[in-house]
Amino acid sequence: MKMPDPDQTIIEAKSDIVAALRVIVPGEGVIVDEDELRVYESDGLTAYKQLPLIVVLPETTEQVSRILKCCQERGVKVVPRGAGTSLSGGALPLADGIILGLGKFNRVMDIDFDNRCAVVQPGVTNLGITKAVESEGFYYAPDPSSQIACTIGGNVAENSGGVHCLKYGLTTNNLLGLEMVLMDGTVLRIGGKHLDSEGYDLLGLMTGSEGLLGVVTEVTVRLLKKPETARALLLGFETAEQAGDTVAAIIAAGIIPGGMEMMDRPAIHAAEDFVHAGYPLNVDALLIVELDGPQAEVDYLIKEVSGIAEQHGAVTSRISENEEERLSFWAGRKAAFPAVGRISPDYYCMDGTIPRAQLPLVLRRMREMSEKYGLRVANVFHAGDGNLHPLILYDANKPGELEAAEDFGSDILKLCVEVGGVLTGEHGVGVEKRDLMGAMFSEIDLKQQQRVKCAFDPEALLNPGKVFPQLHRCAELGRMHISGGKMPFPDLPRF
Amino acid sequence: MESSFAVENSDQLVEAVTWAAAEQQPLEVIGRGSKRALGRPVQAGHSLDLSRLTGITLYEPEELVLSARAGTSLAEIEAAVAEKNQMLAFEPVDLSPLLGGAAGGGSIGGVLACNLSGPRRIKAGAARDHFLGVESASGRGEIFKSGGRVVKNVTGYDLCKLLCGSYGTLAVMTDVTLKVLPRPQKTYTVLVLGLDDATAVKAMSRALGSPHEVSGAAHLPAGLAAGSAVSYVAEAGGAVTAIRLEGPGPSVEYRCAALRRELADLGDTEELHSRNSLALWQELRDVRPLWVQEDKGPERAVWRISVAPSEGPEVVAAIGQGEAFYDWGGGLVWLALSAEGDAGAGRIRDVLRPGGGHATLIRAPLEVRAAEPVFHPQDPAMAALSARVKDGFDPCRVLNPGRMYAGL
């Protein structure tokens, strides 16, 4: 993966930049020591590593504003970072750039139960929000599996999902407001405790913009009351087709489960060997369907779903009768990644989304690719919303295997696009899928997106090298070649 | 003299926009024309008529997805999804009757361009939350796409969000893809009778803060409740606070009983079942309480104000004039007042503190909409950023110039 060529003049000016940053953030907030920088050399996509030039850890919005302005004036690139759990290399440092760490922005500012929202700083963890409000029975709905570590600021940057987003939405559907800082130091407030921001929906644009448009310094999130109860079904099928048909039939019956997860045979076996969740080993596909809400509704719907599964040939069907049993159904799914980690020295987690009906075809093609590349693959799948997480098993110590795993992954993502899906459902493009963007978007599509970037960061100093395969200068993107002056289709009727 | 380009396909659209950009000829972008009276008047010698770009191009109920050409009538789409027992869960508002047209006049492109969402906004999200993919022509005369047909997608910037609510000022949508959802089996409404505005918001807050999955919470003061076509509401003899519950029968019955118990200390309660319930929420969605009794006298101006739910009553009291009702648990205020002078603009903008919400002048005479900001004024930094975003899509400013903000 090629990153933009480091600017030697910036690297040579390091001590000047450090001095300028220390004026803004006194004390230990500016990190230059190589051992301490090492902590920041990678994020959740550990195959890529790069020492940053400097790390800055501001504590106030004013400091963030001054840092960005200072960097803009000096032409220094900035990579924002929350907890560094990105799976797509969104927080991968640059040799000639600073890491702007938001870890010290870790306070819950305001909890407003009357308006069912909370105002938090971006360094608060996803789970930290729920912890702050659960005493009153509330929670923050999006629940990415890294929720214990990942921060809400990172969630905004990546538009994170989770297993419950079919029913409760992604980050973008659960935000009310933001405070953010542009690269030139301008502080902006978008939205608030009211719904739908005035003017252009910059809140929606910022969510999932992968740290390329601005640095978020405060987030207002919606809170929901915890559902009265939740129960799960564990369903086993002899074929993935049957499991897929069951998912379609549940939705066709008008039921939107809180969560609906599928695992294929290799994932079932890895998980069962690891946590002994009691999963059936004689099936090709396992579905976990969770229904949550009022007790009366859950009790009613669980029977409906059970009936649908039976009609579609479920060979295993268990309904959780208590909380302990429900959690045991989930135990294997939640441990699927580490479980796969046990059976292989390394694994590479993919994140495409497909129209659900394409699942049997995609699984079949994936098995063919697995043979071609000589690498095993295990699948966990957010079946409700079509988001696939194939885990490609490889050994980085064997020459060529990492490259083969990456090529295999690229082929899977291209297949997702080919069947009507997308490159990434929730992990982001980052550096990882940057060079695949052309499989989904035309040059015109990508240039239009980059013109949006130009409105926020005309010098392209914020997180460059991520998302876009090719960097264009804003002046070039703004140019318009006007030809014509010819009246359009003069033979059409006008009114 | 005004002329209209009635485009039939994307090629013609590109041709028209390219010409407009080259000749610096602004275009008024029109779907089916039902909301032409919403927003600032556009100074354009030509209009771009998209009413021939029609048809549902994909509808897969089990995948919860529908695609249509942007000029397709909303009524056609709603009928198609209703046939499969599904719906557009954001409950698009039909502003046609409020704006003086026949009901059901709008297009799906228009709904998205204005981000029009009804009472279910509080639970299911806004139009923008159901907008999965788009193909459109920028003011540069280039067709570009964003998003896709799947719900979970973080590939590139979410330009659907940016186009939704941009009133045709950034790009002309040609094809849109939406998420659809199952229609609830049952719709019940709990009515709490005789509450003043502040107590009503307290009641709604209690309901929305309960685990009963409330999908609508509105309050009609006595004068407006009396005009309802639902007899239980009209004959209540006072203010009516309405709380909607949707879902499978047993669940709705259980939650309805629970909620009535939990709100009993605030006032007498009643319940509406399916048909009456649906009728009431359609009235609220389409702002009927403000236009139904309007047959005599000069037409009033109508404002749509979004605030933190708990602040709704204070904002209405501080404005101190006109007639208002509340949706979104108190967070959405529909206010009608005299269209004389500035139609209350100065007063309303003064009452809303910075960051505390926004007010949009949904209906007013042309002269008022030309003279007063229709959309909430932005601070200079935000206005400058919005202008740069506009330039990124429409550098010659030919698409609906001035529709949202002067000069944009």
Side-chain angles (χ1 to χ4, degrees), chain B residues 89-161:
Chain B
F90 58 92
E91 221 176 353
V93 185
D94 182 2
L95 286 177
S96 304
L98 176 70
L99 297 175
S107 67
I108 189 64
V111 164
L112 294 169
C114 305
N115 190 24
L116 291 177
S117 326
R120 208 182 284 106
R121 164 71 182 96
I122 51 174
K123 178 162 186 280
R128 51 91 93 175
D129 295 297
H130 298 256
F131 189 11
L132 302 179
V134 67
E135 196 162 300
S136 37
S138 69
R140 307 171 60 90
E142 293 172 335
I143 298 282
F144 67 94
K145 63 178 182 306
S146 177
R149 52 160 292 186
V150 293
V151 178
K152 247 172 137 178
N153 177 11
V154 294
T155 323
Y157 297 140
D158 191 348
L159 300 187
C160 293
K161 296 278 188 307

Side-chain angles (χ1 to χ4, degrees), chain B residues 161-185:
Chain B
K161 296 278 188 307
L162 196 52
L163 296 191
C164 200
S166 69
Y167 285 78
T169 61
L170 298 178
V172 184
M173 294 186 249
T174 60
D175 292 272
V176 299
T177 298
L178 292 148
K179 173 171 136 181
V180 295
L181 280 170
R183 187 174 288 273
Q185 282 173 25

Side-chain angles (χ1 to χ4, degrees), chain A residues 113-116 138 158-159 161-162 165-168 170 172-173 182 186 188-205 207-210 212-213 222 225-228 248 251-256 292-297 300-301 353-358 382 385 387 420-429 437 440-442 444-445 448-453 455-456 467-468 477-480 482-489 492-495, chain B residues 2-8 12-13 15-16 18-19 21-23 46 49 52 60-64 86 115 117 121-123 126 128-129 138-159 161-162 164-166 169-170 179 181-182 185 204-205 208-213 246-251 254-255 304 306-311 328-329 355-358 376 378-379 381-382 385-386 388-390 392-393 395-396 404-405 408:
Chain A
F113 290 121
D114 280 345
N115 290 309
R116 299 164 293 283
F138 284 86
E158 303 293 330
N159 189 16
C165 59
L166 179 66
K167 183 168 175 185
Y168 296 104
L170 305 143
T172 190
N173 313 113
L182 298 183
T186 305
L188 293 172
R189 295 194 73 90
I190 305 170
K193 290 182 177 180
H194 53 279
L195 287 168
D196 300 334
S197 36
E198 60 271 31
Y200 294 146
D201 186 359
L202 301 182
L203 181 64
L205 176 66
T207 314
S209 62
E210 305 201 23
L212 270 73
L213 299 181
R222 300 186 77 183
K225 192 76 169 190
K226 282 215 162 122
E228 230 171 59
I251 287 170
I255 301 167
I256 302 291
D292 64 2
Q295 185 84 47
E297 180 167 321
Y300 169 78
L301 292 180
T353 305
I354 56 169
R356 269 186 313 266
Q358 302 290 341
H382 300 304
D385 47 40
N387 188 197
V422 301
L423 294 173
T424 171
E426 56 184 353
H427 295 171
V429 177
M437 287 289 271
M440 189 165 148
F441 293 114
S442 71
I444 290 176
D445 300 337
Q448 187 54 56
Q449 297 199 26
Q450 285 177 281
R451 286 189 194 99
V452 173
K453 161 88 168 162
F456 286 75
V467 182
F468 298 110
L477 288 166
R479 225 170 279 146
M480 200 171 149
I482 292 174
S483 60
K486 178 167 60 94
M487 195 70 170
F489 43 96
L492 268 188
R494 288 152 208 270
F495 306 101
Chain B
E2 184 179 305
S3 68
S4 172
F5 304 121
V7 296
E8 287 175 345
Q12 291 179 349
L13 174 60
E15 205 180 322
T18 306
W19 171 82
E23 294 294 300
H46 305 271
D49 175 353
R52 296 177 180 202
E60 293 178 5
E62 318 78 48
E63 300 269 345
L64 303 175
Q86 294 190 328
N115 190 24
S117 326
R121 164 71 182 96
I122 51 174
K123 178 162 186 280
R128 51 91 93 175
D129 295 297
S138 69
R140 307 171 60 90
E142 293 172 335
I143 298 282
F144 67 94
K145 63 178 182 306
S146 177
R149 52 160 292 186
V150 293
V151 178
K152 247 172 137 178
N153 177 11
V154 294
T155 323
Y157 297 140
D158 191 348
L159 300 187
K161 296 278 188 307
L162 196 52
C164 200
S166 69
T169 61
L170 298 178
K179 173 171 136 181
L181 280 170
Q185 282 173 25
M204 293 191 283
S205 175
L208 287 165
S210 78
H212 302 315
E213 301 198 346
E246 299 177 307
S251 165
Y254 164 84
R255 286 182 282 151
R304 184 176 184 271
S306 179
V307 291
S310 66
E311 289 172 12
W328 298 356
H358 52 93
H376 209 70
Q378 298 184 304
D379 69 49
M382 192 62 92
L385 177 59
S386 300
R388 295 198 298 273
V389 170
K390 165 87 172 170
F393 285 86
C396 303
M404 293 183 82
Y405 299 101
L408 194 71

Side-chain angles (χ1 to χ4, degrees), chain B residues 50-111:
Chain B
L50 303 174
S51 63
R52 296 177 180 202
L53 282 183
T54 57
I56 295 170
T57 49
L58 174 145
Y59 177 31
E60 293 178 5
E62 318 78 48
E63 300 269 345
L64 303 175
V65 64
L66 177 143
S67 303
R69 317 242 45 209
T72 311
S73 88
L74 176 64
E76 179 186 337
I77 289 172
E78 295 207 299
V81 297
E83 204 167 286
K84 297 289 178 188
N85 230 354
Q86 294 190 328
M87 62 177 180
L88 299 178
F90 58 92
E91 221 176 353
V93 185
D94 182 2
L95 286 177
S96 304
L98 176 70
L99 297 175
S107 67
I108 189 64
V111 164

Side-chain angles (χ1 to χ4, degrees), chain A residues 107-439:
Chain A
R107 283 188 306 133
V108 175
M109 315 281 285
D110 178 21
I111 297 171
D112 183 345
F113 290 121
D114 280 345
N115 290 309
R116 299 164 293 283
C117 64
V119 183
V120 301
Q121 292 189 316
V124 174
T125 62
N126 172 292
L127 193 61
I129 301 177
T130 291
K131 292 277 178 213
V133 299
E134 67 185 359
S135 62
E136 297 290 320
F138 284 86
Y139 77 117
Y140 173 64
D143 59 344
S145 30
S146 56
Q147 67 177 165
I148 188 167
C150 67
T151 64
I152 186 68
N155 289 180
V156 172
E158 303 293 330
N159 189 16
S160 307
V163 296
H164 291 96
C165 59
L166 179 66
K167 183 168 175 185
Y168 296 104
L170 305 143
T171 305
T172 190
N173 313 113
N174 287 279
L175 295 184
L176 290 174
L178 289 181
E179 179 190 74
M180 59 179 274
V181 188
L182 298 183
M183 194 63 216
D184 68 2
T186 305
V187 179
L188 293 172
R189 295 194 73 90
I190 305 170
K193 290 182 177 180
H194 53 279
L195 287 168
D196 300 334
S197 36
E198 60 271 31
Y200 294 146
D201 186 359
L202 301 182
L203 181 64
L205 176 66
M206 275 300 291
T207 314
S209 62
E210 305 201 23
L212 270 73
L213 299 181
V215 176
V216 172
T217 48
E218 188 190 283
V219 188
T220 305
V221 299
R222 300 186 77 183
L223 300 175
L224 292 181
K225 192 76 169 190
K226 282 215 162 122
E228 230 171 59
T229 192
R231 291 177 76 185
L233 293 105
L234 189 70
L235 305 167
F237 297 88
E238 282 170 349
T239 66
E241 281 82 352
Q242 288 173 320
D245 288 347
T246 303
V247 170
I250 291 169
I251 287 170
I255 301 167
I256 302 291
M260 192 146 51
E261 294 292 306
M262 196 189 293
M263 295 165 74
D264 71 356
R265 185 180 280 266
I268 298 166
H269 282 252
E272 184 59 23
D273 286 350
F274 184 30
V275 296
H276 312 292
Y279 289 173
L281 296 174
N282 60 338
V283 296
D284 251 13
L286 190 70
L287 267 187
I288 303 170
V289 183
E290 180 162 289
L291 296 152
D292 64 2
Q295 185 84 47
E297 180 167 321
V298 171
D299 291 349
Y300 169 78
L301 292 180
I302 208 134
K303 288 200 195 84
E304 300 270 302
V305 172
S306 176
I308 291 168
E310 199 174 309
Q311 284 163 25
H312 288 84
V315 291
T316 307
S317 177
R318 289 166 53 198
I319 298 176
S320 72
E321 294 301 334
N322 52 51
E323 194 59 6
E324 193 187 347
E325 194 170 16
R326 182 181 75 86
L327 294 175
S328 79
F329 291 178
W330 279 107
R333 166 62 185 89
K334 298 225 162 168
F337 289 17
V340 167
R342 282 175 77 236
I343 60 169
S344 171
D346 299 284
Y347 68 89
Y348 184 35
C349 174
M350 309 306 298
D351 171 48
T353 305
I354 56 169
R356 269 186 313 266
Q358 302 290 341
L359 180 69
L361 169 76
V362 169
L363 288 179
R364 196 166 59 243
R365 294 269 298 272
M366 234 188 271
R367 279 194 294 272
E368 291 164 15
M369 291 178 199
S370 171
E371 280 172 30
K372 175 183 154 195
Y373 285 102
L375 295 173
R376 290 177 296 165
V377 61
N379 265 289
V380 294
F381 180 53
H382 300 304
D385 47 40
N387 188 197
L388 288 166
H389 291 311
L391 304 169
I392 300 169
L393 280 53
Y394 71 100
D395 183 349
N397 288 325
K398 289 192 187 154
E401 280 216 347
L402 170 63
E403 291 72 21
E406 287 184 340
D407 290 346
F408 187 177
S410 295
D411 283 355
I412 292 174
L413 295 183
K414 286 179 198 155
L415 173 63
C416 290
V417 174
E418 186 191 315
V419 301
V422 301
L423 294 173
T424 171
E426 56 184 353
H427 295 171
V429 177
V431 289
E432 186 202 22
K433 294 173 276 283
R434 185 189 74 188
D435 293 347
L436 290 173
M437 287 289 271

